[in-house]
């Protein structure tokens, strides 16, 4: 699964967002101080910055991390809608439409998973060898005629062998050279499905202060262990 994420304005994030087709000058002009990029512990139901297509243009938008289908009665936490399982995404009424027509990229500097150790759960910060990740996502837009809510889910898949010691599932990590294909609604679905496999790229895990388990803690994370290669 993927239950927490980091989105911070650093060099790796700038390179990734540019690679995803978002012009630096535009989003830097809209947020010159980088205030929307200072999130060290984003939890489900909070907002994520998401790259997506809309009306043939590439956009960087803030979306609620808990998908609300356009056909639903509105926001609800009855069902866990922050992660979409790759294995069943095309069978889900909530996810199959967005998977075909409203795919997204969630750019993150890293994400957290929890590992049971000596009867306690410890958060581990997962990072890549290139820094920022492009996570596969889907999005949808709900409205009741007076208000609109744009929301998203992160797609997860079975963990790679290297990631299994941390968790049995992991977010789908997209190759940077396939970002345009992922976002393009016209890309053949067989090619899209091939992108849902567990990532085999190098990953690193760092044991963090247990205080990061509290979603209200928005401070920069404090490592309590060495960074290890998975």
């Amino acid at each position: 699964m993927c239950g927490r994420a980091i989105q911070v304005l650093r060099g790796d994030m700038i390179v990734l967002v540019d690679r995803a087709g978002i012009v630096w000058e535009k989003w830097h002009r809209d947020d010159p101080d980088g205030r929307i990029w200072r999130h060290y512990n984003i939890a489900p139901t909070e907002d994520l910055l998401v790259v997506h297509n809309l009306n043939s243009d590439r956009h960087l938008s803030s979306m609620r991390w808990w998908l609300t289908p356009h056909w639903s009665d509105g926001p609800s936490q009855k069902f866990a809608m922050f992660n979409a399982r790759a294995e069943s995404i095309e069978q889900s009424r909530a996810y199959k439409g967005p998977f075909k027509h409203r795919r997204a990229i969630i750019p993150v500097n890293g994400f957290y998973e929890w590992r049971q150790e000596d009867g306690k759960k410890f958060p581990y910060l997962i990072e890549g060898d290139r820094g920022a990740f492009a996570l596969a996502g889907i999005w949808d837009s709900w409205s009741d005629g007076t208000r609109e809510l744009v929301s998203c889910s992160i797609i997860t898949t079975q963990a790679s062998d290297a990631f299994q010691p941390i968790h049995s599932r992991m977010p789908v990590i997209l190759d940077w050279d396939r970002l345009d294909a992922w976002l393009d609604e016209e890309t053949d679905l067989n090619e899209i499905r091939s992108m849902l496999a567990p990532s085999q790229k190098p990953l690193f895990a760092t044991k963090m202060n247990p205080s990061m388990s509290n979603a209200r803690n928005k401070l920069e994370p404090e490592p309590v262990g060495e960074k290890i290669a998975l």
Side-chain angles (χ1 to χ4, degrees), residues 1-13:
M1 63 177 295
C2 181
R4 300 286 175 81
I6 294 177
Q7 289 185 320
V8 179
L9 187 62
R10 296 193 309 226
D12 58 338
M13 181 64 78

Side-chain angles (χ1 to χ4, degrees), residues 29-217:
R29 183 176 65 247
D30 295 340
D31 180 38
D33 299 323
R35 284 177 290 184
I36 64 173
W37 289 101
R38 295 176 186 168
H39 302 285
Y40 291 101
N41 194 9
I42 306 171
T45 73
E46 298 178 342
D47 285 352
L48 283 168
L49 290 164
V50 177
V51 178
H52 64 107
N53 288 342
L54 181 64
N55 299 327
S56 301
D57 290 327
R58 194 68 51 89
H59 292 266
L60 178 69
S61 302
S62 181
M63 298 186 184
R64 184 176 188 258
W65 183 14
W66 193 291
L67 194 81
T68 299
H70 67 274
W71 45 262
S72 69
D73 294 331
S76 170
Q77 292 179 227
K78 182 178 180 181
F79 304 103
M81 301 288 286
F82 60 97
N83 284 168
R85 294 175 68 93
E87 299 87 342
S88 58
I89 196 168
E90 292 184 85
Q91 286 73 54
S92 166
R93 184 187 176 198
Y95 297 144
K96 63 182 180 181
F99 179 67
K100 289 182 179 179
H101 306 294
R102 291 179 293 280
R103 291 184 293 272
I105 296 167
I106 293 88
V108 301
N109 305 88
F111 59 91
Y112 294 102
E113 293 293 0
W114 277 256
R115 184 179 181 183
Q116 192 84 16
E117 298 177 3
D118 299 325
K120 298 180 180 180
K121 280 190 174 183
F122 286 90
Y124 276 77
L125 175 61
I126 310 301
E127 299 172 289
D129 60 341
R130 300 178 67 175
F133 291 115
L135 303 185
I138 53 177
W139 67 281
D140 210 343
S141 178
W142 172 89
S143 175
D144 63 0
T146 59
R147 56 187 175 132
E148 182 180 17
L149 176 65
V150 184
S151 58
C152 66
S153 288
I154 292 173
I155 302 175
T156 66
T157 189
Q158 182 177 351
S160 64
D161 291 343
F163 199 74
Q164 286 284 348
I166 299 293
H167 201 279
S168 62
R169 297 192 65 78
M170 65 190 301
V172 172
I173 300 171
L174 298 169
D175 289 338
W176 286 24
D177 60 357
R178 304 182 81 182
L179 300 184
D180 287 335
W182 173 261
L183 291 176
D184 188 349
E185 187 180 340
E186 302 301 319
T187 302
D188 186 275
L189 278 179
N190 285 325
E191 181 179 352
I192 295 298
R193 294 180 189 114
S194 73
M195 301 184 200
L196 301 179
S199 175
Q200 302 302 319
K201 292 186 178 298
L203 298 174
F204 300 88
T206 307
K207 189 176 182 179
M208 308 304 289
N209 191 303
S211 65
M212 296 308 298
S213 297
N214 186 341
R216 292 189 295 272
N217 181 4

